[in-house]
Structure formats: C-alpha cells, structure tokens
Amino acid sequence: MNRRQFVKAGAAAGLAVAAGAPAVAAQAAARAPTLMAPKGVKPVVVSSANGNTFKNGGPRTCIEEAFDRIVKGSDVLEALIAGVNIVELDPEDTSVGYGGLPDADGMVQLDASCMHGPKKRAGAVAAIEGVRTPARVAQLVADETDHHLLVGKGAQDFARAMGFKIEDDLNTENSRRKWLDWKRRIDPKHYLDPARRTEAGDRARREMVAEGLLDPDHVYGTINCDGINAKGEICGVTTTSGLSWKIPGRVGDSPILGAGLYLDGDVGAAGSTGRGEANLFNLSSYLIVEGLRRGLHPKDAGMEALKRVAANTVEKRLLNDRGRPMFDLKFYVLDRQGRHAGVAMHGGKDKSYAVCTEEGPRTLSCDVLFEEPDTE
C-alpha cells in the first residue's frame, strides 16, 4: 500500500466510525490503549517503625488500621487517631500510652498532639496522667475548645469532663519493674545531689540499654503518624510517654506544634521521635514543612533539619568523640504529592520507618545523616 492508498484507507475508516459502523468502532476500541486520567493522589500513611509492629491483640497495626479507614472514606485525622490508639493501648510498647515508661517518681505522664490540614485546627495535651489514649484527648482539645494545648491536671480534668476514665496508675508490671531497677541503680543511698543524680540517671539508662533491659528506641519513645487521602487531605498525630525516667513535669517535643508535629494541608507534614530537646530548640518539623514548601523532596527536607540540629548541638556532653550529636533523632515526612521519607541522625540497627499504601504495610530503612551509630 502506497502513501496515497494509506491516507485514503485511514480516512474511510474514520468516516465509518463517525457514521456509527459498530464493527469498525469495536475494532478501533480494542486496538486503542486505555487511558486513566489521574484523580488526586494515592492514599498513604507514614509512621515511626512501631506503627507497623504492635497490634494490641488485634488484626491490624497502626498504619494498617489508619489506611483501611482512610480508603473507606473516614476523616483522615480520625483514622490516624484510631491507628495510634492501638499502640497507646498495647502494654508491650513501653514508649506510649498504657505501660509507657514512667518519670523519675514512677508516674506515667503522657503527651500528644494532632493537626487537621483541611480544618486548619490543632490540639495537644502534655503531662497528662491517668488516661491511656492522650491522642484522643488532644483531638478533643482541637474539636471542643478554642485552645491548642492543655497540660497537667487541667488536661486530666478536661479528659474527665469529656467522659474519659481516669486511672490511678498506668504502669504495667513491666514498666514498674524497669523503673524500680533504674531507681535502685541511681539512688541507693537516697542522698545524691541534683548534678550527681542526673549523671547517675543517665549512666543507669545507658547501662540498662547495654544489658538489654531497655529498648534503645524507647529511651525517647514516641509514635508519629501522618496520612493523606485521595483528595489530598493531610493530617497528623504524635503521642508519647516521653523520656524514660524524666524529671516529673518534663515536656518534650511531641505536644509542641512545630516540633514533634507540624503540617500545612497545602504542603505536607512532618513528625519526629528521638531527643525532644534537640527538636524543640530547632522547631524541626516546622523547618521541614517549610522545606517542602520550597519544593524540596521529603528526604532532602528531613536531611536539612538534621543538619540544622547537628550544627546547633555544641555542648560537649551531647557530642561524641567525632564532634557529632551523641543522640538519635528521626523525622517522618509526607508531602502533598504522597511522597514520603524517614530520616535519622545516625545509622545502626533498627533505623527504619513504616508506610502503608495500596500495596500493603512495609517497614523501610531510614536515610541517615551520619553512618556511625549513636553511642547513647
């Protein structure tokens, strides 16, 4: 067939289809590729690694529960809260909620925050006692008050008014036994001065990690969980029992907007686990979201924050022999396009984060700033 014949044949076929010739139309449709116009983004849930570990005796982990609810049409924040509640209620996770490692006096004090991208609302509680699911209380602070943060007894009274059961003690036998072990190590004579007590407390914490009595990832234990639905709606939540054996009343980064959690519904979300004081000083989650706003990939935005933290860590007691931070800090980042990353200050074992998509739940390796492990 020459060119003239080819053009004439193509034109005839086009006229036949236009005239409604069913056989020709069917053949043309069979040969044509199927084109799917993209609609929104694919739902994603991202969390710290414990979000794909603990199930509290149920069928799903945190990220599985949150993702399942999101794809079924649940409000994104409601889905994420339901997810982290699984970890808060699981006594096997000693970093959050019920059974979280207590403060120096043996009391479990919990912190949590949440942010709702579409509603531009946020809520948080700090140093709350007697409530197993502080993330749910934080959500009610956002929904039922004009405030962003309630603390201590005021937060507990608010929870009671909202119908929560207030328990006398959130310790489990496991968390209480570990606290007693720590207490015996640091204060055998009960007369340590504050400086010696702090030094002894840090030493005892390191010894318990080295002996396998304390999970190094639960020294500063937390869960952050962020998610996006097909409409591009982003929400986030962070909940924790804080630093193990902390000074009573100590509040870390988790309930502080811009530190333990920050998001902009038009840009993305970031949250953290690790040394809260380092994160607070740099308001790292806010810094990361602003990096996303400038067009950075989640990995690059997270790395930028880690470099800022490292540059601002100058106290010798916080530096290793290479002049680098002697602590770990991780960020979990999710942008408006559904791209995600987990980044960590140091390499070593268990430097990972969790993600759930339509492909199912996975635990992925974090990108690290410094390849050597932290020494704390």
Side-chain angles (χ1 to χ4, degrees), residues 50-87:
N50 50 350
N52 195 30
T53 304
F54 297 93
K55 297 183 177 181
N56 193 33
R60 298 189 184 101
T61 63
C62 165
I63 57 171
E64 289 176 297
E65 181 68 25
F67 184 81
D68 182 69
R69 288 175 179 248
I70 287 173
V71 296
K72 289 180 178 177
S74 174
D75 174 79
V76 176
L77 182 57
E78 176 61 31
L80 299 177
I81 296 288
V84 299
N85 284 166
I86 293 173
V87 186

Side-chain angles (χ1 to χ4, degrees), residues 3-15:
R3 183 175 182 277
R4 183 184 297 273
Q5 291 172 323
F6 178 81
V7 172
K8 288 176 66 177
L15 289 172

Side-chain angles (χ1 to χ4, degrees), residues 236-302:
V237 58
T238 299
T239 179
T240 187
S241 58
L243 172 65
S244 57
W245 337 129
K246 60 193 174 186
I247 294 174
R250 177 262 189 186
V251 174
D253 61 320
S254 295
I256 306 303
L257 305 184
L261 174 69
Y262 193 73
L263 67 84
D264 184 319
D266 298 324
V267 180
S272 71
T273 62
R275 180 175 166 79
E277 282 73 15
N279 193 19
L280 276 167
F281 187 84
N282 295 277
L283 287 179
S284 307
S285 292
Y286 177 81
L287 177 66
I288 290 170
V289 172
E290 290 306 294
L292 297 178
R293 194 188 308 278
R294 301 198 319 267
L296 294 181
H297 185 278
K299 173 189 171 182
D300 298 324

Side-chain angles (χ1 to χ4, degrees), residues 103-105 107 109 111 126-127 129 151-152 246-252:
D103 64 19
D105 289 342
M107 288 299 297
Q109 292 187 334
D111 307 327
E129 298 178 3
V151 304
K246 60 193 174 186
I247 294 174
R250 177 262 189 186
V251 174

Side-chain angles (χ1 to χ4, degrees), residues 118-306:
K119 294 181 180 179
K120 308 292 185 184
R121 295 286 296 166
V125 292
I128 187 173
E129 298 178 3
V131 180
R132 297 190 181 199
T133 54
R136 185 67 69 182
V137 184
Q139 182 185 23
L140 287 172
V141 172
D143 290 344
E144 303 292 337
T145 80
D146 188 40
H147 310 305
H148 285 162
L149 177 63
L150 299 179
V151 304
K153 185 178 183 298
Q156 186 188 73
D157 290 343
F158 172 77
R160 182 184 289 108
M162 292 292 104
F164 286 81
K165 177 183 178 181
I166 308 300
E167 302 181 52
D168 292 334
D169 188 1
L170 294 184
N171 275 296
T172 59
E173 285 304 311
N174 179 44
S175 63
R176 184 179 293 105
R177 184 172 60 252
K178 288 179 177 178
W179 171 73
L180 286 171
D181 192 341
W182 176 82
K183 192 76 170 175
R184 293 186 185 105
R185 292 169 186 254
I186 72 153
D187 204 6
K189 296 181 180 179
H190 308 292
Y191 290 109
L192 291 178
D193 62 70
R196 290 177 61 202
R197 183 186 179 95
T198 299
E199 180 183 352
D202 289 342
R203 182 175 62 252
R205 190 183 290 114
R206 291 193 295 271
E207 289 174 355
M208 293 178 73
V209 169
E211 293 171 21
L213 299 175
L214 187 62
D215 184 342
D217 286 335
H218 286 180
V219 172
Y220 294 94
T222 307
I223 182 171
N224 164 251
C225 189
D226 307 307
I228 186 170
N229 65 11
K231 299 177 184 178
E233 296 173 336
I234 301 175
C235 296
V237 58
T238 299
T239 179
T240 187
S241 58
L243 172 65
S244 57
W245 337 129
K246 60 193 174 186
I247 294 174
R250 177 262 189 186
V251 174
D253 61 320
S254 295
I256 306 303
L257 305 184
L261 174 69
Y262 193 73
L263 67 84
D264 184 319
D266 298 324
V267 180
S272 71
T273 62
R275 180 175 166 79
E277 282 73 15
N279 193 19
L280 276 167
F281 187 84
N282 295 277
L283 287 179
S284 307
S285 292
Y286 177 81
L287 177 66
I288 290 170
V289 172
E290 290 306 294
L292 297 178
R293 194 188 308 278
R294 301 198 319 267
L296 294 181
H297 185 278
K299 173 189 171 182
D300 298 324
M303 283 295 183
E304 181 179 75
L306 289 175

Side-chain angles (χ1 to χ4, degrees), residues 5 31 36 46 161 203-204 233 316 360:
Q5 291 172 323
R31 291 193 301 268
M36 298 294 291
V46 175
R203 182 175 62 252
E233 296 173 336
K316 290 184 178 180

